[in-house]
């Protein structure tokens, strides 16, 4: 077993990139998969990827949002070139831990104790994921109908107040792979939702996790994003008195940048593959095909710049700049990535509609970004709220 505890973030990024290179040789098989392979996640643990979301003082490489977001994005972007579905499920791990990573608060001892327990579980190899979305919620995790009931007799699997959660949930990416999943619910007798951690190590199909819909999406088809019905599922409540929006708001910039990194990695791979195919027949391309190719390449470039802009805003350390930049990058890349794959298909021809072509799979994969939290409508609601304000740092004098 490789001792990754002494690795740097740069070491882990290099190891993940090497693994992604190995997976490229298995592309045809991987793109037809409908399920995740636990061996892939064992390989990623051996590369140290989960430790990128564990603080340095607890054996990981995470420093803070401004310092470490880029490195995690770099690893996920490389990984997506080898297997988009595995990359998206892997992105859920730091995305969930970001709720604790992005809100260090030494004034709340209980919060600090829970943070340490969460990170210790991740350092031990526990895979984290999320199953917060609910039918009819529009992707707003605060609009939950799930109910949590305190259960002091329940032995807590994590530091925090034990509860039992019941309700309908869907898009549980990594179901069956994730040992811990984050969700939201309203505690019986209260009026505002909060976050809970579920023990999902037993997987779906158990007494507490009824699978009501196996994931059959056209894109990211092997993510096992199943729909589950929680029935008195053992859970631990978020150990802070701060409002839910404060915790989620602090986590949003890095989370959005990691989702973008996954789709950008798919886009990188698609453009590079198309370039290699077109290079040998550049002289035979019709004018229309030439324009479509150059436009696709420009869209790819713009997507890269949007991602870079968001990362730089995060690295500035200014939350007022980071949040809108990250969300704008996510929505922009969602549109650019889909448009790029469509243009590549026009240049490469009708063969791209075959399941034998990697481009048909990549097109559906990149479409996932716009539906990741917050999905299209909710995202644009949030963007409109800041669209009429001057950007942070703008000086009109």
């Amino acid at each position: 077993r490789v001792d990754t505890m002494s690795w740097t973030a740069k070491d882990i990024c290099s190891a993940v990139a090497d693994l992604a290179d190995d997976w490229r040789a298995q592309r045809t098989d991987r793109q037809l998969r409908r399920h995740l392979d636990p061996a892939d996640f064992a390989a990623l643990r051996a590369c140290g990827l989960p430790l990128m979301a564990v603080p340095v003082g607890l054996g990981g490489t995470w420093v803070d949002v401004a310092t470490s977001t880029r490195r995690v994005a770099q690893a996920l972007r490389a990984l997506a070139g080898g297997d988009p579905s595995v990359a998206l499920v892997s992105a859920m791990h730091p995305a969930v831990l970001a709720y604790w990573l992005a809100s260090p608060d030494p004034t709340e001892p209980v919060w600090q104790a829970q943070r340490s327990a969460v990170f210790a579980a991740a350092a031990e190899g526990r895979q984290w994921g999320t199953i917060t979305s609910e039918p009819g919620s529009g992707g707003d995790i605060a609009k939950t109908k799930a109910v949590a009931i305190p259960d002091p007799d329940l032995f807590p699997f994590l530091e925090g107040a034990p509860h039992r959660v019941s309700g309908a949930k869907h898009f549980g990416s990594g179901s069956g792979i994730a040992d811990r999943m984050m969700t939201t619910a309203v505690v019986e007798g209260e009026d505002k939702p909060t976050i809970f951690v579920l023990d999902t190590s037993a997987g779906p199909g158990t007494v507490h996790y009824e699978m009501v819909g196996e994931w059959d999406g056209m894109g990211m088809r092997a993510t096992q994003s199943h729909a589950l019905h929680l029935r008195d599922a053992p859970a631990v409540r978020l150990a802070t008195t701060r409002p839910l929006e404060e915790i989620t708001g602090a986590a949003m910039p890095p989370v959005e940048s990691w989702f973008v990194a996954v789709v950008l990695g798919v886009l990188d791979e698609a453009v590079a593959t198309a370039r290699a195919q077109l290079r040998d027949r550049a002289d035979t391309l019709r004018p229309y095909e030439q324009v479509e190719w150059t436009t696709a390449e420009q869209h790819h470039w713009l997507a890269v710049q949007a991602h870079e802009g968001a990362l730089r805003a995060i690295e500035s350390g200014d939350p007022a700049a980071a949040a809108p930049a990250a969300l704008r990058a996510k929505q922009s890349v969602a549109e650019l990535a889909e448009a790029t794959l469509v243009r590549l298909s026009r240049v490469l021809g009708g063969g791209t509609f075959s399941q034998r072509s990697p481009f048909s799979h990549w097109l559906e994969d990149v479409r996932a970004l716009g539906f990741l939290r917050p999905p299209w409508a909710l995202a644009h609601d949030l963007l409109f709220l800041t669209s009429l304000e001057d950007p942070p740092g703008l000086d009109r004098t």
Side-chain angles (χ1 to χ4, degrees):
R1 182 178 183 276
V2 179
D3 179 15
T4 56
M5 299 297 280
S6 61
W7 282 16
T8 65
K10 183 178 180 180
D11 293 332
I12 295 172
C13 285
S14 178
V16 170
D18 289 343
L19 183 62
D21 281 339
D22 293 339
W23 288 355
R24 281 184 177 88
Q26 307 163 15
R27 175 174 295 149
T28 300
D29 170 65
R30 286 180 173 274
Q31 287 190 320
L32 293 175
R33 291 182 183 179
R34 307 266 343 175
H35 301 286
L36 296 166
D37 186 344
D40 288 344
F41 292 87
L44 289 170
R45 286 193 294 274
C47 289
L49 181 61
L51 295 178
M52 297 189 83
V54 175
V56 289
L58 296 173
T61 66
W62 181 268
V63 178
D64 54 36
V65 169
T67 305
S68 301
T69 297
R70 181 182 291 271
R71 280 297 191 188
V72 178
Q74 180 182 345
L76 293 170
R77 184 173 171 181
L79 183 60
D83 192 317
S85 289
V86 173
L88 183 59
V89 172
S90 296
M92 298 297 175
H93 177 85
V96 169
L97 294 182
Y99 290 95
W100 289 270
L101 288 168
S103 296
D105 187 349
T107 66
E108 290 187 299
V110 177
W111 176 240
Q112 287 302 308
Q114 186 176 73
R115 291 180 79 244
S116 295
V118 165
F119 301 141
E124 291 168 0
R126 298 283 187 182
Q127 184 79 25
W128 290 69
T130 175
I131 184 164
T132 54
S133 295
E134 297 182 16
S137 68
D140 188 344
I141 65 174
K143 293 182 178 179
T144 176
K145 295 180 180 178
V147 176
I149 299 175
D151 185 353
D153 296 327
L154 180 66
F155 183 79
F157 56 88
L158 186 73
E159 187 76 24
H163 288 67
R164 291 192 179 275
V165 176
S166 299
K169 300 282 182 176
H170 58 189
F171 304 137
S173 298
S175 296
I177 292 291
D179 302 292
R180 303 283 184 263
M181 277 191 162
M182 184 205 84
T183 196
T184 52
V186 178
V187 177
E188 191 174 53
E190 299 184 12
D191 58 359
K192 292 185 178 180
T194 189
I195 288 173
F196 291 87
V197 176
L198 302 166
D199 178 4
T200 55
S201 54
T206 58
V207 63
H208 298 299
Y209 301 99
E210 177 191 359
M211 187 188 295
V212 295
E214 186 173 3
W215 176 242
D216 60 354
M218 295 293 292
M220 297 294 182
R221 56 192 289 164
T223 52
Q224 295 182 192
S225 301
H226 305 327
L228 306 178
H229 194 103
L230 311 185
R231 300 186 187 279
D232 295 325
V236 169
R237 181 174 181 164
L238 197 72
T240 181
T241 58
R242 284 169 292 174
L244 177 63
E245 57 269 21
E246 184 177 326
I247 299 296
T248 58
M252 188 186 78
V255 171
E256 302 300 351
S257 73
W258 296 330
F259 289 162
V260 169
V262 171
V263 168
L264 197 56
V266 179
L267 192 58
D268 293 338
E269 194 71 11
V271 171
T273 302
R275 181 180 290 112
Q277 293 183 15
L278 294 173
R279 189 177 292 122
D280 293 337
R281 60 185 185 94
D283 294 341
T284 67
L285 292 180
R286 295 181 175 91
Y288 171 79
E289 294 169 332
Q290 294 176 25
V291 171
E292 289 294 283
W293 163 248
T294 55
T295 304
E297 193 178 39
Q298 289 173 45
H299 283 175
H300 177 220
W301 183 84
L302 287 171
V304 173
Q305 305 316 306
H307 182 53
E308 177 63 24
L311 290 175
R312 291 188 181 187
I314 292 169
E315 289 166 346
S316 74
D318 180 5
L327 187 52
R328 285 183 171 87
K330 173 185 173 292
Q331 295 306 101
S332 297
V333 174
E335 293 187 359
L336 289 165
E338 184 173 345
T340 300
L341 263 297
V342 169
R343 291 183 183 279
L344 293 179
S345 296
R346 290 172 182 166
V347 177
L348 296 171
T352 58
F353 284 94
S354 169
Q355 289 201 51
R356 296 187 299 274
S357 168
F359 291 91
S360 64
H361 298 273
W362 287 328
L363 174 57
E364 298 303 330
D365 286 338
V366 300
R367 283 175 169 162
L369 180 58
F371 296 95
L372 291 171
R373 187 185 177 274
W376 289 106
L378 179 58
H380 282 279
D381 284 350
L382 297 174
L383 288 175
F384 181 76
L385 295 176
T386 60
S387 64
L388 302 179
E389 300 175 2
D390 286 337
L394 179 65
D395 186 359
R396 294 186 178 276
T397 60

